[in-house]
Amino acid sequence: MAAPTQKPKSDVKKEKNATSAEEKMMNRTFYIIFISLVIDLLAFTVILPLLPSLLDHYGSSDTQGLYTFMKSFIGSFREFVGAPDTPKWNSVLFGGIIGSLFSFLQFLSTPIIGAASDVYGRRPVMLLCMVGIALSYVVWMLSSNFTLFVLARVIGGISKGNISLSTAIVTDVSTPEKRGRGMALVGIAFSIGFVFGPTIGAIFSFIDKESDQFYVLPAIFCIVLAVADILFLFMFLQETLPESKRSKTSVLASSFELINPISLFQFASVKNIPNSDKQMVQGLGGVYFLYLFIYSGMEFTLPFLMHNRFNYNRNHEDESVSYPISGGYVRRVKQGKETRVVAQGIFVLIPSFVIMAFTNNIILMYIALALFSLASATVVPCLTTLISVYGGADQKGKVMGIFRSLGSLARATSPVFASTVYWCFGAEACYLSGSLLMVIPLLLAAQQRKQKA
């Protein structure tokens, strides 16, 4: 038998250099995406603490038109579910409707943006999205009436495909072993954005708060960040999807499948992958939608619960701690263990919601919120890592776009259902039903783990 042929030392050295160069490129891209997302999310979250004041401002100045129509609609919805007629809850419901509109627009646009990046490349589509986001802040700065403000949110919602593109770029350059680390950096970027962005917005709320145009200064701040982000990406982000690997399928040819909810749940536009992979992708999409639908609904009603039981006025109590957990913990999850972590994250929500349903003890409530934060920090990043494995290089944008779209659909629809249950049947029924319904995505996640094994 002939002895195995050994590679010349020069060839081995070349392979090591290539591997080293690829890893250097991967790490560089990870940090470019991280910095870009931090800049983007700081701007995106500045508006959160300003939203109640903005709605009050437009309510006093825009006595006819879109604001009046939406106020009438929300009043009818409030009466239907039995929510009290107070400025605080009217503001929460109003903000929820605007948030749902933003998420619904993301549901429509994200799959198309992802598919376009498979055809035209990640970099030009990413820059186009960032230009749209910057334009939305310009319209916000000029929003002397509520209609212009809503138009700004519409432009922002349609353009907000940079998150799914970021995950597609991480997938392009990473190995399966390192992909979790890249997704964890995305989580850390969310952490920084959602902790410091609202703080900056709160500072702006105390500056020139008596002026009728108090929103102009924070809008200019967001424009500066958005323009800086565009310039940063233009200078440093390299294309991660070579022309040889791009899709040849026209985006228009599959446009119906990219906006039809049934087709999205079936990932119908993702072609030429084995049936077993298609089933895994559909299963992960189903887990993601059901989990976020239940989770987002409970999250939306938390301000009601915390105020009614503990006279607590902060919103989204869990966010400031959940995203740091995401970055610190998820990056340590070993490849192949993501499905188990997803199941664990979903499982802890069941006792969390049971505690929320019945407790009047603030310590127990914070234990429930800690479990809530753990799920928030682990489930979505691990699901994102899991689904990023599937589809060829020419379909990663489409896969990640559809995946994010399903989450946006969940976030767009869940506040209506959750607040209806909360005000019609009480907090106990709302959170107890949430704990029972969470068994469904838990069982689906367990089934995915068996199929993957």
Side-chain angles (χ1 to χ4, degrees):
M1 181 182 293
T5 303
Q6 291 186 345
K7 292 183 180 180
K9 289 184 179 180
S10 59
D11 289 349
V12 174
K13 187 175 181 180
K14 285 179 183 177
E15 285 186 5
K16 286 183 178 179
N17 289 339
T19 302
S20 176
E22 288 172 358
E23 186 164 352
K24 192 173 181 179
M25 171 65 176
M26 177 182 69
N27 290 330
R28 180 180 182 274
T29 305
F30 281 178
Y31 287 111
I32 289 171
I33 291 299
F34 169 73
I35 293 170
S36 173
L37 283 175
V38 168
I39 297 171
D40 171 66
L41 291 166
L42 283 173
F44 176 72
T45 55
V46 160
I47 196 174
L48 296 180
L50 297 169
L51 193 55
S53 298
L54 282 166
L55 294 176
D56 290 341
H57 166 70
Y58 292 122
S60 60
S61 62
D62 193 0
T63 55
Q64 295 180 345
L66 184 60
Y67 184 91
T68 303
F69 171 77
M70 287 190 65
K71 184 178 179 181
S72 174
F73 172 78
I74 290 169
S76 300
F77 174 72
R78 178 189 51 76
E79 292 176 2
F80 172 74
V81 300
D85 186 8
T86 65
K88 176 180 177 61
W89 299 139
N90 288 338
S91 178
V92 171
L93 291 171
F94 217 126
I97 293 295
I98 292 175
S100 292
L101 172 64
F102 191 90
S103 295
F104 182 74
L105 291 166
Q106 284 186 282
F107 158 70
L108 294 176
S109 65
T110 305
I112 296 174
I113 290 171
S117 76
D118 289 333
V119 177
Y120 303 108
R122 313 286 187 226
R123 186 174 182 271
V125 178
M126 174 71 91
L127 289 171
L128 185 61
C129 285
M130 299 311 301
V131 169
I133 290 170
L135 177 61
S136 74
Y137 296 139
V138 172
V139 177
W140 178 31
M141 181 186 70
L142 301 173
S143 59
S144 57
N145 57 65
F146 184 67
T147 302
L148 279 176
F149 175 72
V150 172
L151 177 62
R153 301 303 288 172
V154 168
I155 296 171
I158 293 172
S159 305
K160 200 66 179 174
N162 61 315
I163 307 298
S164 63
L165 288 178
S166 295
T167 57
I169 290 170
V170 167
T171 302
D172 287 340
V173 301
S174 61
T175 61
E177 295 79 10
K178 301 288 186 179
R179 194 163 295 151
R181 178 170 166 267
M183 298 302 177
L185 283 174
V186 173
I188 295 173
F190 271 85
S191 167
I192 296 171
F194 276 87
V195 171
F196 293 103
T199 303
I200 296 170
I203 294 172
F204 277 120
S205 68
F206 290 104
I207 300 175
D208 201 23
K209 61 182 178 181
E210 301 299 328
S211 170
D212 287 340
Q213 294 186 324
F214 66 94
Y215 53 85
V216 171
L217 194 58
I220 291 174
F221 175 77
C222 292
I223 293 169
V224 171
L225 287 181
V227 172
D229 205 358
I230 293 169
L231 293 175
F232 174 75
L233 289 172
F234 182 80
M235 289 188 294
F236 297 106
L237 181 64
Q238 297 178 10
E239 180 56 62
T240 60
L241 184 63
E243 287 191 27
S244 60
K245 294 184 178 180
R246 293 180 190 175
S247 173
K248 308 303 179 190
T249 304
S250 168
V251 177
L252 290 176
S254 58
S255 58
F256 178 75
E257 292 179 335
L258 293 171
I259 61 174
N260 178 7
I262 296 175
S263 298
L264 288 174
F265 277 103
Q266 295 174 344
F267 286 78
S269 61
V270 181
K271 312 290 187 182
N272 303 320
I273 65 172
N275 288 333
S276 58
D277 285 3
K278 194 68 166 283
Q279 291 174 2
M280 290 294 293
V281 168
Q282 291 169 350
L284 290 169
V287 171
Y288 181 52
F289 174 81
L290 289 171
Y291 161 78
L292 262 189
F293 182 84
I294 301 165
Y295 172 91
S296 299
M298 300 302 103
E299 181 186 43
F300 181 77
T301 58
L302 263 179
F304 303 142
L305 182 71
M306 294 297 289
H307 179 79
N308 290 341
R309 289 199 183 156
F310 306 104
N311 199 30
Y312 201 73
N313 291 317
R314 282 179 59 201
N315 292 345
H316 311 297
E317 294 83 358
D318 66 297
E319 285 179 350
S320 63
V321 296
S322 66
Y323 287 116
I325 295 173
S326 172
Y329 179 71
V330 173
R331 67 190 303 172
R332 292 179 174 83
V333 176
K334 295 181 179 179
Q335 183 191 4
K337 303 294 183 183
E338 295 92 349
T339 311
R340 185 182 69 182
V341 175
V342 168
Q344 291 172 345
I346 295 174
F347 176 79
V348 300
L349 282 176
I350 296 174
S352 173
F353 291 159
V354 171
I355 294 171
M356 290 178 184
F358 298 107
T359 189
N360 288 298
N361 183 295
I362 190 63
I363 296 176
L364 286 176
M365 188 65 191
Y366 273 103
I367 291 173
L369 287 173
L371 296 174
F372 191 77
S373 297
L374 180 62
S376 175
T378 56
V379 176
V380 172
C382 285
L383 281 173
T384 305
T385 302
L386 283 168
I387 204 163
S388 68
V389 174
Y390 297 99
D394 61 341
Q395 297 191 95
K396 294 294 185 185
K398 189 181 294 182
V399 170
M400 302 310 298
I402 294 172
F403 182 72
R404 294 284 307 181
S405 173
L406 293 177
S408 296
L409 179 62
R411 286 192 175 278
T413 53
S414 61
V416 174
F417 287 93
S419 56
T420 299
V421 175
Y422 186 96
W423 291 114
C424 288
F425 303 102
E428 294 83 0
C430 179
Y431 284 89
L432 193 58
S433 63
S435 68
L436 293 173
L437 289 173
M438 197 57 78
V439 173
I440 300 173
L442 177 61
L443 293 176
L444 290 175
Q447 184 180 8
Q448 290 292 112
R449 188 180 176 190
K450 288 181 181 178
Q451 290 177 355
K452 196 174 179 66

